[in-house]
Amino acid sequence: MDNDVVIRTEGITKTFRMGEVEVHALCGVSFMIQRGEILSIMGPSGSGKSTLMNILGCLDRPTSGEYYLDGNLVSNMGDDELAEVRNRKVGFIFQSFNLLSRASALSNVELPLRYAGIREGRRERAIESLKAVGLADRIYHRPTELSGGQQQRVAIARALINNPAIILADEPTGNLDSKSGKEIMEILLSLNRERGTTVIIVTHDPTIAAQTQRVIRLRDGLLENGA
Amino acid sequence: MNLGQAVLEALESLNSNKLRSGLTILGIVIGVAAVIAMLAVGEGAQQTITGAISGVGTNLLFVFSGNFQEEVRNPQPLTLADVDALRDQFQAPSVANVAPVINGQVRVSYSGEQATTTVNGVTPDYAVVRNYNVTEGEFINDEHLLGQASVALLGPEVAQKLFGRKDGVVGETVRIEGQPFRVIGLLESKGGGAFGSQDDVVMIPFTTAKSRVLRRTRDRVDVIFVQALDAEYVDEATDEISQILRSRHRIMLGPDDFTVFSQEDFVQTARTITGVFTIFLGGIAGISLLVGGIGIMNIMLVSVTERTREIGLRKALGARKRDILIQFLTESSLLSMLGGIIGIGFGWLISFAVGRIAAANNTPFTPSVGMNAILLATLFATAVGLFFGIYPANRAANLEPVEALRYE
Ligand SMILES: Nc1ncnc2c1ncn2[C@@H]1O[C@H](COP(=O)(O)OP(=O)(O)OP(=O)(O)O)[C@@H](O)[C@H]1O
Ligand SMILES: [Mg+2]
């Protein structure tokens, strides 16, 4: 196995069963992503982009097919192992930020470190991470005291904190105005450029897709252009 | 995540919804306070009753006619001849003193003032056996007994009722059932006891009571008080009394037709009764604690539903099932523990107030909040929180991350 391949999927399918009806969200998706790549996933609404992202982020298991993350077969790991993979190898960025509203930016960013069982230097690392997204002066602000763009930057700082192998962003700019959206894209691009982090972005916006090295297109649960 | 962290986070989360947390805690507070107060009252009652009984003197035995445990046909009454037999130093070497008593309710009057009270016909030994002292005058002596003298000793309560004072009554003449009696002494106050107030009493010579006031046929005696040589001789004395009375009453087989009660028996009986009483009260209070626990479960379930997205997010960030479980269990047990601590305080206040009310009503009764009650309540409250927290916490821990994140 190539050490520079960070993600490899083999015929991944996902079928949702809703009573009598079966929804085939993914119908056999195979592709590879090199370490250090930045790419976008596009496709019409309902084509299975979020479903694929959830599987890549180990939030969900494929119905069939194999998924290797960082050389490990994760498609049949147990719950606790998956939790650890999510904690250490994956950084999530959601469309709706998903910050804990009661907690400060600092505590939000620290959270993955807590679940990693790290006790020493959490605060310093969290501050470091917030600095990297340009929020050094907002560490004690709560999400409600931050703009949408700033909230998304906190989310990026949180995704970064454990130095994950991949960062998954599902429509990260979907809830933002174009200016903040641009800022967020800047941060993601510079992350990829300066740290070599693998970044996967789901987007409907062609200008965003154009900034990435590669575009994967999904339609009805299938890849349009191969890998 | 370590425990300190979990507690901090749980406190933060409870703090963010103060009213709800407060109301949930209130349920536990009421439950624990009720348990604490009930146990304290029960314990206090036990101490008061056993204390009152012990106060009578530990080497004292009571002999009654009849058997309280088994059915006996035609029990023979106790008589003066029985009393004499018990005085026999050879047959009853462990017995120090014997005092027969007959008693009944009588009307006592003094220049228009009237009172109904207990009259005891006693012998001079009674003062020794029951440890009675006079605050003024003297006790009944052998001459009074032989002469069937019309003399009486008044308890302080009776003196108060008839004369409006508790001193300077010696030499006055009172009427008992219409017959004039000269007051020769005033008994010292003994306070309330296990058998009602020991101060609301009149004592007259045994012989006078028998022939003129209570009119007992033959030589019948109501109670025989027996003083053993020492507290250690109580068991021997009991055996000796039983043997003497059995042979005198011609009982070969079958149950006694009399009962010998020791101090210890009374204390035991009282303990059993107050113990049952305490368990009963505590049990009822425990039900309210249970209701408080159900309140916790209810609130935790609401909280899990409300925070479904948060749970999903935490899982996405690497929380294991165990982490989520601990988070919610910590919250529910913190709720119940806080409730428990406040409840102990309240329970203590309630029992203190009960003690004050009792004192205001002249009942010497001190509820006591024991260490074991506190431990029990804390443990029970925390257990309630854990138990009723398990279901909601489990529900949270088993949420699928994707489903939870989609939840609106
Ligand atoms: N939990 C679920 N239960 C049933 N069907 C589901 C579930 N999740 C997704 N689907 C279905 O799977 C298909 C793919 O959904 P998905 O969310 O991946 O689309 P998407 O490409 O992310 O769309 P959008 O661009 O609107 O976000 C849809 O038809 C959707 O209805
Ligand atoms: Mg989507």
Side-chain angles (χ1 to χ4, degrees), chain B residues 322-344:
Chain B
R322 172 160 27 119
D323 295 316
I324 303 292
L325 197 72
I326 289 173
Q327 180 188 347
F328 281 89
L329 279 185
T330 312
E331 277 185 31
S332 63
S333 14
L334 264 185
L335 279 176
S336 62
M337 232 162 70
L338 283 176
I341 291 167
I342 301 171
I344 287 170

Side-chain angles (χ1 to χ4, degrees), chain A residues 199-213:
Chain A
V199 181
I200 304 166
I201 306 167
V202 168
T203 183
H204 287 286
D205 183 347
T207 57
I208 287 178
Q211 296 174 61
T212 61
Q213 297 163 355

Side-chain angles (χ1 to χ4, degrees), chain B residues 230-246:
Chain B
D230 203 300
E232 286 158 33
Y233 287 92
V234 164
D235 287 342
E236 279 98 324
T238 308
D239 289 344
E240 290 161 15
I241 294 167
S242 298
Q243 250 170 27
I244 293 168
L245 291 182
R246 278 179 79 88

